[in-house]
Amino acid sequence: MMIQVLGPLHAEIGGVPVVPTASKPRQILSLLALYPGRVMPVPTLMEEIWGADPPVSALTTLQTYILQLRRRLGTAMGPDAPRSAKEVLATRHGGYLLQIPQDSVDAHVYERLVGAGRAAFEAGDDARAAQTLRQALEMWQGPALVDVRVGSILSIETLRLEESRLVTVERRIDADLRLGRHTQLLAELKDLIVRHPQHEGLHSQAMVALYRSGRQAAALDVYRQLRIRLIEELGVEPSPQLQRLHQAMLAVDPALDVAAGTRRGSTFDLYAS
């Protein structure tokens, strides 16, 4: 069984799709898929589907949804499968679990790759870090569970995944900047700072990429526009490390060069105190 949650929900067994069309069973499958091999308590499933005020018939209705999912699994597995659908989507005391390997779910493969990429990043193996983090990011096919109605539990999970995605993009760009790929990053960073107009980390990366590409004036303008936006929208100045990065560019600090730059930490922390 293979399940994709990093984008539209997709699940299949032997090439046969098993994703239900009804919204609530889709929620159940999504939540179980995010925790393969772990029991998802009935109250948690109910909260996801109905919120804090489930109907009187909630337990019976939930059992019906589980039965519907098992029927789909059973049809896809066929009569000669080594396990039954009830063994794959199993009942346990107080809940249900999806008995599949973690690597059957793209989110878990993604998180494993991210862990390996961060380890390489911290070890200073920039080429491996960039390659591994890029491989992790390529697993995304759109916003997490973009076609699933999410309740209180899944909304937290999707937010966590999306935040992880953005942090991973930052770390991959840090690794690419260490490798001297600043010119290749310009278009991507321009798009990112438009989509995240108050994100100081991405702006610091855009500034460094522009500066190292011989575009000092453009790098300083990125800072100027961010500062105006932060003051007008939030009433705050840029962070001290971003201000120090700006001053370093004005002073043409040799530490900004790729060869002289730090081999550890993020671009945003180049001038951290």
Side-chain angles (χ1 to χ4, degrees), residues 159-187:
L159 178 60
R160 177 184 64 82
L161 286 167
E162 291 293 343
E163 289 178 345
S164 169
R165 183 185 188 183
L166 184 57
V167 170
T168 302
V169 168
E170 285 186 81
R171 293 294 78 77
R172 196 222 80 227
I173 292 173
D174 281 331
D176 281 333
L177 284 171
R178 288 177 177 179
L179 292 165
R181 297 171 179 167
H182 34 271
T183 303
Q184 297 96 309
L185 293 168
L186 292 178

Side-chain angles (χ1 to χ4, degrees), residues 109-121 125-139 168 171-172 175-176 181:
V109 178
Y110 159 78
E111 290 176 339
R112 174 170 54 78
L113 289 169
V114 167
R118 287 178 177 171
F121 181 85
D125 190 345
D126 302 330
R128 182 182 295 275
Q131 179 184 7
T132 306
L133 294 175
R134 187 171 286 107
Q135 184 181 355
L137 291 165
E138 286 172 354
M139 301 194 68
T168 302
R171 293 294 78 77
R172 196 222 80 227
D176 281 333
R181 297 171 179 167

Side-chain angles (χ1 to χ4, degrees), residues 7-39:
L9 176 63
H10 178 77
E12 63 179 51
I13 297 176
V16 180
V18 296
V19 176
T21 55
S23 63
K24 289 181 172 60
R26 290 167 70 88
Q27 287 175 267
I28 294 170
L29 178 60
S30 300
L31 194 51
L32 292 171
L34 288 169
Y35 293 92
R38 290 174 55 182
V39 175

Side-chain angles (χ1 to χ4, degrees), residues 221-252:
D221 192 55
V222 168
Y223 176 86
R224 182 185 65 81
Q225 292 184 40
L226 174 63
R227 180 174 182 268
I228 291 171
R229 189 176 300 113
L230 291 176
I231 291 173
E232 290 181 348
E233 297 178 6
L234 301 178
V236 299
E237 290 279 352
S239 63
Q241 53 261 55
L242 198 61
Q243 293 184 43
R244 287 191 286 269
L245 175 63
H246 176 248
Q247 291 299 318
M249 288 183 175
L250 290 172
V252 194

Side-chain angles (χ1 to χ4, degrees), residues 25 30 32 42 53 62-63 70 82 86 100 103 175 178 183:
S30 300
L32 292 171
V42 166
D53 189 24
L62 176 62
Q63 291 169 342
R70 283 179 177 154
K86 196 169 184 179
I100 59 175
D103 278 4
R178 288 177 177 179
T183 303

